[in-house]
Amino acid sequence: MTNDQGLIPSFEYVLPAIRGIQAGREYYVSMCPVRFIPKLFGRENEENPPDQRVARSLNSKRVPDIANYILNNPDNYTVSAITAAIDADINFEPIGIEKEGRKMGRLRVPMDARFQITDGQHRCAAFEWALKQNPALGYETVAVILVLDIGLRYSQQMFLDLNRYGVHPDASLAILYDHRHPQATVVKAVIRNINVFRTLTDREHRTLPVRSGKLFTLHTLYNATSMLLADWQTAELEQQIDLAIRYWQAVSYCVPDWEAVRQRSVSAREMRQDYVHSDA
């Protein structure tokens, strides 16, 4: 197609997109092939002072960690959407005139448009790094949320708001939900197979609330079991599980107070106050 003057050809990206409204403003959700990420999402000039940038400086140490996570889990990695502001005149063409049809369509974006990442710069850099190791990743897609760029202040505020309430999962819950790490598998097998741990372990919190009826946290048992197996990392997983279960079963026999709490002969709170054998 041509530009407004009809003289110089202009080229554009045509993206399948869904149009939405948030805070009274239009935004668009699309799928971007990974191979296009380095072309679309350039990095900010980090020599600019912070008040002239949209996001924090890129932490180069995080990039290989994310890239290796993607490369090492090609069948089940999960990467959240990238959010970017577009500084260009865009055109959304809905596929229909009915209510739902007006929300879906094609988003036409000039190729000289400037995409400013407001959330996801480390993910973008990690994909770029991973592509060099595995070019086949380029045919996969990542979700992209596109908003119209209405100035530096708005983009900075968007970056802050997107990161304002982010909270990492509690350490115990992270272990509970981790189905990749061998040590997480071991400690969860220990808890399933030992009565006192199965009944008295808090699987969700790193520290026990004052009124908790539990004696242990999953995080505590994970650390202790990791120390136990420090010299067994090259052993088969089943061997590690067997050793850990036998060890903790023997310990539980030697600490009858744990069983007393399980039988409710004494409260967990009293036991934690008077003894150290459930303390991390």
Side-chain angles (χ1 to χ4, degrees):
M1 60 182 297
T2 59
N3 64 1
D4 293 339
Q5 288 73 34
L7 300 175
I8 303 173
S10 62
F11 300 92
E12 59 189 8
Y13 300 105
V14 180
L15 308 173
I18 299 174
R19 176 170 56 183
I21 301 291
Q22 192 171 94
R25 301 182 185 278
E26 286 190 358
Y27 71 97
Y28 306 90
V29 180
S30 185
M31 298 296 144
C32 177
V34 170
R35 65 185 182 277
F36 291 152
I37 287 178
K39 300 176 183 178
L40 291 179
F41 303 109
R43 298 181 187 175
E44 280 196 286
N45 184 353
E46 297 192 1
E47 293 183 359
N48 290 338
D51 59 342
Q52 297 299 314
R53 297 198 305 263
V54 169
R56 64 171 72 95
S57 298
L58 187 74
N59 184 346
S60 58
K61 294 181 180 179
R62 290 182 58 195
V63 174
D65 291 339
I66 301 172
N68 286 325
Y69 158 73
I70 296 170
L71 292 168
N72 294 334
N73 301 280
D75 297 326
N76 62 354
Y77 73 89
T78 303
V79 175
S80 57
I82 296 165
T83 303
I86 308 175
D87 183 10
D89 291 327
I90 62 175
N91 181 31
F92 180 74
E93 298 177 348
I95 61 173
I97 59 175
E98 300 298 329
K99 182 176 180 181
E100 296 304 320
R102 294 198 303 269
K103 297 177 181 178
M104 297 180 287
R106 292 179 294 270
L107 186 66
R108 295 184 177 276
V109 182
M111 282 193 174
D112 59 358
R114 183 168 176 261
F115 292 81
Q116 192 84 37
I117 300 174
T118 54
D119 185 56
Q121 62 172 340
H122 291 90
R123 276 162 271 159
C124 287
F127 269 124
E128 185 175 354
W129 195 90
L131 275 170
K132 297 175 183 177
Q133 312 298 318
N134 181 12
L137 281 170
Y139 296 95
E140 300 194 359
T141 58
V142 61
V144 178
I145 300 172
L146 302 172
V147 298
L148 296 179
D149 186 352
I150 57 173
L152 179 63
R153 291 181 61 183
Y154 178 78
S155 295
Q156 289 175 338
Q157 188 66 55
M158 187 191 308
F159 166 80
L160 178 62
D161 291 345
L162 287 169
N163 290 276
R164 185 188 299 272
Y165 300 111
V167 177
H168 289 293
D170 190 282
S172 287
L173 195 63
I175 296 165
L176 182 65
Y177 289 172
D178 190 343
H179 301 287
R180 291 195 180 99
H181 202 292
Q183 291 179 345
T185 300
V186 171
V187 72
K188 285 182 283 189
V190 168
I191 290 173
R192 286 194 303 271
N193 285 275
I194 297 179
N195 289 335
V196 291
F197 290 163
R198 186 168 59 247
T199 306
L200 301 176
T201 300
D202 187 322
R203 296 167 172 82
E204 189 170 359
H205 302 103
R206 181 171 185 154
T207 57
L208 293 173
V210 175
R211 299 182 182 277
S212 174
K214 307 294 185 181
L215 281 182
F216 319 100
T217 66
L218 177 54
H219 180 254
T220 297
L221 290 175
Y222 174 87
N223 287 340
T225 303
S226 297
M227 293 177 67
L228 169 69
L229 299 174
D231 296 329
W232 283 66
Q233 298 304 306
T234 58
E236 294 292 331
L237 184 61
E238 291 304 319
Q239 289 181 292
Q240 296 185 47
I241 291 173
D242 178 68
L243 173 61
I245 290 174
R246 288 190 292 111
Y247 172 81
W248 286 117
Q249 191 69 68
V251 171
S252 67
Y253 285 145
C254 295
V255 188
D257 289 337
W258 293 354
E259 182 64 23
V261 175
R262 192 176 81 87
Q263 297 294 341
R264 298 187 178 181
S265 302
V266 63
S267 74
R269 184 177 181 182
E270 291 177 293
M271 193 63 66
R272 294 197 307 271
Q273 287 177 338
D274 296 339
Y275 297 89
V276 297
H277 52 48
S278 68
D279 188 82

